[in-house]
PDB file of all heavy atoms in Angstrom:
ATOM      1  N   MET P 954      15.068   0.712  -3.964  1.00 40.00           N
ATOM      2  CA  MET P 954      14.643   0.744  -2.575  1.00 40.00           C
ATOM      3  C   MET P 954      13.634  -0.367  -2.325  1.00 40.00           C
ATOM      4  O   MET P 954      12.596  -0.405  -2.967  1.00 40.00           O
ATOM      5  CB  MET P 954      14.003   2.098  -2.248  1.00 40.00           C
ATOM      6  CG  MET P 954      14.942   3.279  -2.394  1.00 40.00           C
ATOM      7  SD  MET P 954      14.092   4.814  -1.984  1.00 40.00           S
ATOM      8  CE  MET P 954      15.382   5.978  -2.371  1.00 40.00           C
ATOM      9  N   SER P 955      13.919  -1.260  -1.413  1.00 48.00           N
ATOM     10  CA  SER P 955      13.029  -2.386  -1.179  1.00 48.00           C
ATOM     11  C   SER P 955      12.033  -2.129  -0.064  1.00 48.00           C
ATOM     12  O   SER P 955      10.966  -2.730  -0.042  1.00 48.00           O
ATOM     13  CB  SER P 955      13.861  -3.634  -0.847  1.00 48.00           C
ATOM     14  OG  SER P 955      14.678  -3.393   0.292  1.00 48.00           O
ATOM     15  N   GLU P 956      12.352  -1.241   0.897  1.00 78.00           N
ATOM     16  CA  GLU P 956      11.440  -0.980   1.994  1.00 78.00           C
ATOM     17  C   GLU P 956      10.266  -0.149   1.501  1.00 78.00           C
ATOM     18  O   GLU P 956      10.297   0.462   0.437  1.00 78.00           O
ATOM     19  CB  GLU P 956      12.153  -0.250   3.129  1.00 78.00           C
ATOM     20  CG  GLU P 956      13.317  -1.023   3.730  1.00 78.00           C
ATOM     21  CD  GLU P 956      14.642  -0.671   3.067  1.00 78.00           C
ATOM     22  OE1 GLU P 956      14.611  -0.202   1.916  1.00 78.00           O
ATOM     23  OE2 GLU P 956      15.679  -0.873   3.694  1.00 78.00           O
ATOM     24  N   ARG P 957       9.232  -0.105   2.318  1.00 92.00           N
ATOM     25  CA  ARG P 957       8.039   0.621   1.892  1.00 92.00           C
ATOM     26  C   ARG P 957       8.247   2.124   1.958  1.00 92.00           C
ATOM     27  O   ARG P 957       9.138   2.635   2.623  1.00 92.00           O
ATOM     28  CB  ARG P 957       6.846   0.210   2.756  1.00 92.00           C
ATOM     29  CG  ARG P 957       6.946   0.609   4.210  1.00 92.00           C
ATOM     30  CD  ARG P 957       5.702   0.202   4.966  1.00 92.00           C
ATOM     31  NE  ARG P 957       5.800   0.578   6.365  1.00 92.00           N
ATOM     32  CZ  ARG P 957       4.768   0.668   7.187  1.00 92.00           C
ATOM     33  NH1 ARG P 957       3.557   0.399   6.733  1.00 92.00           N
ATOM     34  NH2 ARG P 957       4.928   1.015   8.445  1.00 92.00           N
ATOM     35  N   ILE P 958       7.364   2.817   1.252  1.00 97.00           N
ATOM     36  CA  ILE P 958       7.379   4.275   1.208  1.00 97.00           C
ATOM     37  C   ILE P 958       6.098   4.774   1.861  1.00 97.00           C
ATOM     38  O   ILE P 958       5.009   4.272   1.586  1.00 97.00           O
ATOM     39  CB  ILE P 958       7.490   4.777  -0.235  1.00 97.00           C
ATOM     40  CG1 ILE P 958       8.878   4.431  -0.794  1.00 97.00           C
ATOM     41  CG2 ILE P 958       7.238   6.273  -0.321  1.00 97.00           C
ATOM     42  CD1 ILE P 958       9.082   4.832  -2.248  1.00 97.00           C
ATOM     43  N   LEU P 959       6.243   5.752   2.740  1.00 97.00           N
ATOM     44  CA  LEU P 959       5.099   6.359   3.420  1.00 97.00           C
ATOM     45  C   LEU P 959       4.674   7.605   2.656  1.00 97.00           C
ATOM     46  O   LEU P 959       5.506   8.440   2.292  1.00 97.00           O
ATOM     47  CB  LEU P 959       5.476   6.733   4.851  1.00 97.00           C
ATOM     48  CG  LEU P 959       4.373   7.395   5.690  1.00 97.00           C
ATOM     49  CD1 LEU P 959       3.285   6.383   6.037  1.00 97.00           C
ATOM     50  CD2 LEU P 959       4.957   8.012   6.964  1.00 97.00           C
ATOM     51  N   VAL P 960       3.374   7.718   2.421  1.00 98.00           N
ATOM     52  CA  VAL P 960       2.828   8.883   1.733  1.00 98.00           C
ATOM     53  C   VAL P 960       1.891   9.598   2.691  1.00 98.00           C
ATOM     54  O   VAL P 960       0.780   9.135   2.957  1.00 98.00           O
ATOM     55  CB  VAL P 960       2.079   8.480   0.442  1.00 98.00           C
ATOM     56  CG1 VAL P 960       1.495   9.712  -0.240  1.00 98.00           C
ATOM     57  CG2 VAL P 960       3.008   7.733  -0.504  1.00 98.00           C
ATOM     58  N   THR P 961       2.344  10.714   3.254  1.00 97.00           N
ATOM     59  CA  THR P 961       1.449  11.497   4.105  1.00 97.00           C
ATOM     60  C   THR P 961       0.521  12.312   3.207  1.00 97.00           C
ATOM     61  O   THR P 961       0.816  12.575   2.047  1.00 97.00           O
ATOM     62  CB  THR P 961       2.226  12.415   5.067  1.00 97.00           C
ATOM     63  OG1 THR P 961       2.886  13.445   4.324  1.00 97.00           O
ATOM     64  CG2 THR P 961       3.257  11.622   5.860  1.00 97.00           C
ATOM     65  N   GLY P 962      -0.631  12.694   3.761  1.00 94.00           N
ATOM     66  CA  GLY P 962      -1.635  13.306   2.904  1.00 94.00           C
ATOM     67  C   GLY P 962      -2.025  12.363   1.795  1.00 94.00           C
ATOM     68  O   GLY P 962      -2.345  12.765   0.679  1.00 94.00           O
ATOM     69  N   GLY P 963      -2.029  11.073   2.125  1.00 92.00           N
ATOM     70  CA  GLY P 963      -2.125  10.031   1.106  1.00 92.00           C
ATOM     71  C   GLY P 963      -3.454   9.892   0.411  1.00 92.00           C
ATOM     72  O   GLY P 963      -3.542   9.167  -0.583  1.00 92.00           O
ATOM     73  N   THR P 964      -4.491  10.569   0.904  1.00 91.00           N
ATOM     74  CA  THR P 964      -5.777  10.543   0.209  1.00 91.00           C
ATOM     75  C   THR P 964      -6.076  11.892  -0.450  1.00 91.00           C
ATOM     76  O   THR P 964      -7.171  12.097  -0.965  1.00 91.00           O
ATOM     77  CB  THR P 964      -6.924  10.183   1.176  1.00 91.00           C
ATOM     78  OG1 THR P 964      -6.963  11.149   2.247  1.00 91.00           O
ATOM     79  CG2 THR P 964      -6.717   8.801   1.763  1.00 91.00           C
ATOM     80  N   GLY P 965      -5.103  12.808  -0.434  1.00 93.00           N
ATOM     81  CA  GLY P 965      -5.294  14.139  -0.993  1.00 93.00           C
ATOM     82  C   GLY P 965      -4.990  14.208  -2.482  1.00 93.00           C
ATOM     83  O   GLY P 965      -4.758  13.193  -3.150  1.00 93.00           O
ATOM     84  N   THR P 966      -4.939  15.422  -2.989  1.00 94.00           N
ATOM     85  CA  THR P 966      -4.815  15.649  -4.431  1.00 94.00           C
ATOM     86  C   THR P 966      -3.544  15.045  -5.006  1.00 94.00           C
ATOM     87  O   THR P 966      -3.590  14.321  -6.011  1.00 94.00           O
ATOM     88  CB  THR P 966      -4.865  17.157  -4.738  1.00 94.00           C
ATOM     89  OG1 THR P 966      -6.107  17.692  -4.253  1.00 94.00           O
ATOM     90  CG2 THR P 966      -4.763  17.402  -6.236  1.00 94.00           C
ATOM     91  N   THR P 967      -2.401  15.347  -4.400  1.00 97.00           N
ATOM     92  CA  THR P 967      -1.157  14.772  -4.916  1.00 97.00           C
ATOM     93  C   THR P 967      -0.839  13.446  -4.253  1.00 97.00           C
ATOM     94  O   THR P 967      -0.343  12.530  -4.904  1.00 97.00           O
ATOM     95  CB  THR P 967       0.033  15.733  -4.732  1.00 97.00           C
ATOM     96  OG1 THR P 967       0.267  15.957  -3.335  1.00 97.00           O
ATOM     97  CG2 THR P 967      -0.227  17.046  -5.450  1.00 97.00           C
ATOM     98  N   GLY P 968      -1.110  13.325  -2.945  1.00 96.00           N
ATOM     99  CA  GLY P 968      -0.762  12.099  -2.224  1.00 96.00           C
ATOM    100  C   GLY P 968      -1.411  10.870  -2.803  1.00 96.00           C
ATOM    101  O   GLY P 968      -0.765   9.814  -2.934  1.00 96.00           O
ATOM    102  N   SER P 969      -2.688  10.968  -3.152  1.00 96.00           N
ATOM    103  CA  SER P 969      -3.382   9.807  -3.719  1.00 96.00           C
ATOM    104  C   SER P 969      -2.753   9.405  -5.046  1.00 96.00           C
ATOM    105  O   SER P 969      -2.630   8.212  -5.359  1.00 96.00           O
ATOM    106  CB  SER P 969      -4.869  10.117  -3.903  1.00 96.00           C
ATOM    107  OG  SER P 969      -5.060  11.200  -4.804  1.00 96.00           O
ATOM    108  N   ARG P 970      -2.332  10.377  -5.814  1.00 97.00           N
ATOM    109  CA  ARG P 970      -1.695  10.087  -7.100  1.00 97.00           C
ATOM    110  C   ARG P 970      -0.303   9.486  -6.906  1.00 97.00           C
ATOM    111  O   ARG P 970       0.103   8.585  -7.645  1.00 97.00           O
ATOM    112  CB  ARG P 970      -1.618  11.367  -7.937  1.00 97.00           C
ATOM    113  CG  ARG P 970      -2.967  11.838  -8.476  1.00 97.00           C
ATOM    114  CD  ARG P 970      -2.867  13.239  -9.067  1.00 97.00           C
ATOM    115  NE  ARG P 970      -4.043  13.608  -9.860  1.00 97.00           N
ATOM    116  CZ  ARG P 970      -5.168  14.068  -9.355  1.00 97.00           C
ATOM    117  NH1 ARG P 970      -5.289  14.214  -8.035  1.00 97.00           N
ATOM    118  NH2 ARG P 970      -6.187  14.391 -10.146  1.00 97.00           N
ATOM    119  N   VAL P 971       0.432   9.990  -5.925  1.00 98.00           N
ATOM    120  CA  VAL P 971       1.746   9.427  -5.628  1.00 98.00           C
ATOM    121  C   VAL P 971       1.604   7.974  -5.191  1.00 98.00           C
ATOM    122  O   VAL P 971       2.328   7.088  -5.674  1.00 98.00           O
ATOM    123  CB  VAL P 971       2.456  10.253  -4.533  1.00 98.00           C
ATOM    124  CG1 VAL P 971       3.727   9.539  -4.060  1.00 98.00           C
ATOM    125  CG2 VAL P 971       2.803  11.640  -5.057  1.00 98.00           C
ATOM    126  N   ALA P 972       0.678   7.708  -4.276  1.00 97.00           N
ATOM    127  CA  ALA P 972       0.476   6.348  -3.779  1.00 97.00           C
ATOM    128  C   ALA P 972       0.094   5.398  -4.909  1.00 97.00           C
ATOM    129  O   ALA P 972       0.596   4.268  -4.987  1.00 97.00           O
ATOM    130  CB  ALA P 972      -0.599   6.342  -2.691  1.00 97.00           C
ATOM    131  N   ARG P 973      -0.783   5.845  -5.776  1.00 97.00           N
ATOM    132  CA  ARG P 973      -1.209   4.984  -6.891  1.00 97.00           C
ATOM    133  C   ARG P 973      -0.050   4.681  -7.837  1.00 97.00           C
ATOM    134  O   ARG P 973       0.129   3.529  -8.261  1.00 97.00           O
ATOM    135  CB  ARG P 973      -2.357   5.656  -7.647  1.00 97.00           C
ATOM    136  CG  ARG P 973      -2.904   4.821  -8.789  1.00 97.00           C
ATOM    137  CD  ARG P 973      -4.186   5.395  -9.363  1.00 97.00           C
ATOM    138  NE  ARG P 973      -4.008   6.728  -9.899  1.00 97.00           N
ATOM    139  CZ  ARG P 973      -4.507   7.831  -9.366  1.00 97.00           C
ATOM    140  NH1 ARG P 973      -5.198   7.766  -8.241  1.00 97.00           N
ATOM    141  NH2 ARG P 973      -4.321   9.004  -9.936  1.00 97.00           N
ATOM    142  N   ARG P 974       0.745   5.673  -8.155  1.00 97.00           N
ATOM    143  CA  ARG P 974       1.879   5.451  -9.056  1.00 97.00           C
ATOM    144  C   ARG P 974       2.912   4.515  -8.430  1.00 97.00           C
ATOM    145  O   ARG P 974       3.485   3.660  -9.117  1.00 97.00           O
ATOM    146  CB  ARG P 974       2.528   6.789  -9.422  1.00 97.00           C
ATOM    147  CG  ARG P 974       1.733   7.599 -10.420  1.00 97.00           C
ATOM    148  CD  ARG P 974       2.364   8.966 -10.656  1.00 97.00           C
ATOM    149  NE  ARG P 974       1.640   9.712 -11.664  1.00 97.00           N
ATOM    150  CZ  ARG P 974       1.895   9.690 -12.967  1.00 97.00           C
ATOM    151  NH1 ARG P 974       2.893   8.929 -13.413  1.00 97.00           N
ATOM    152  NH2 ARG P 974       1.187  10.395 -13.830  1.00 97.00           N
ATOM    153  N   LEU P 975       3.173   4.669  -7.146  1.00 97.00           N
ATOM    154  CA  LEU P 975       4.118   3.778  -6.476  1.00 97.00           C
ATOM    155  C   LEU P 975       3.616   2.339  -6.515  1.00 97.00           C
ATOM    156  O   LEU P 975       4.381   1.405  -6.804  1.00 97.00           O
ATOM    157  CB  LEU P 975       4.326   4.231  -5.030  1.00 97.00           C
ATOM    158  CG  LEU P 975       5.113   5.531  -4.829  1.00 97.00           C
ATOM    159  CD1 LEU P 975       5.020   5.975  -3.372  1.00 97.00           C
ATOM    160  CD2 LEU P 975       6.577   5.362  -5.235  1.00 97.00           C
ATOM    161  N   ALA P 976       2.326   2.153  -6.219  1.00 95.00           N
ATOM    162  CA  ALA P 976       1.757   0.803  -6.247  1.00 95.00           C
ATOM    163  C   ALA P 976       1.841   0.203  -7.645  1.00 95.00           C
ATOM    164  O   ALA P 976       2.119  -0.997  -7.805  1.00 95.00           O
ATOM    165  CB  ALA P 976       0.308   0.842  -5.762  1.00 95.00           C
ATOM    166  N   GLU P 977       1.627   1.027  -8.661  1.00 95.00           N
ATOM    167  CA  GLU P 977       1.718   0.539 -10.046  1.00 95.00           C
ATOM    168  C   GLU P 977       3.133   0.095 -10.396  1.00 95.00           C
ATOM    169  O   GLU P 977       3.317  -0.758 -11.276  1.00 95.00           O
ATOM    170  CB  GLU P 977       1.250   1.634 -11.004  1.00 95.00           C
ATOM    171  CG  GLU P 977      -0.258   1.876 -10.953  1.00 95.00           C
ATOM    172  CD  GLU P 977      -0.677   3.109 -11.743  1.00 95.00           C
ATOM    173  OE1 GLU P 977       0.227   3.850 -12.207  1.00 95.00           O
ATOM    174  OE2 GLU P 977      -1.893   3.340 -11.896  1.00 95.00           O
ATOM    175  N   HIS P 978       4.111   0.648  -9.690  1.00 93.00           N
ATOM    176  CA  HIS P 978       5.507   0.255  -9.881  1.00 93.00           C
ATOM    177  C   HIS P 978       5.896  -0.929  -8.993  1.00 93.00           C
ATOM    178  O   HIS P 978       7.064  -1.320  -8.941  1.00 93.00           O
ATOM    179  CB  HIS P 978       6.441   1.433  -9.589  1.00 93.00           C
ATOM    180  CG  HIS P 978       6.497   2.457 -10.682  1.00 93.00           C
ATOM    181  ND1 HIS P 978       5.534   3.429 -10.826  1.00 93.00           N
ATOM    182  CD2 HIS P 978       7.391   2.646 -11.692  1.00 93.00           C
ATOM    183  CE1 HIS P 978       5.845   4.189 -11.872  1.00 93.00           C
ATOM    184  NE2 HIS P 978       6.954   3.731 -12.411  1.00 93.00           N
ATOM    185  N   GLY P 979       4.924  -1.483  -8.278  1.00 94.00           N
ATOM    186  CA  GLY P 979       5.191  -2.634  -7.431  1.00 94.00           C
ATOM    187  C   GLY P 979       5.894  -2.303  -6.132  1.00 94.00           C
ATOM    188  O   GLY P 979       6.505  -3.182  -5.505  1.00 94.00           O
ATOM    189  N   ILE P 980       5.805  -1.060  -5.694  1.00 95.00           N
ATOM    190  CA  ILE P 980       6.465  -0.625  -4.462  1.00 95.00           C
ATOM    191  C   ILE P 980       5.474  -0.652  -3.314  1.00 95.00           C
ATOM    192  O   ILE P 980       4.327  -0.195  -3.447  1.00 95.00           O
ATOM    193  CB  ILE P 980       7.039   0.797  -4.648  1.00 95.00           C
ATOM    194  CG1 ILE P 980       8.105   0.786  -5.741  1.00 95.00           C
ATOM    195  CG2 ILE P 980       7.610   1.336  -3.344  1.00 95.00           C
ATOM    196  CD1 ILE P 980       8.562   2.170  -6.169  1.00 95.00           C
TER     197      ILE P 980
END
């Protein structure tokens, strides 16, 4: 998937972790 991914609740317990992992994968 080349388009960006939206993470709602992105500063919360799971959202912040999801966002960080996606960024680490270059997404």
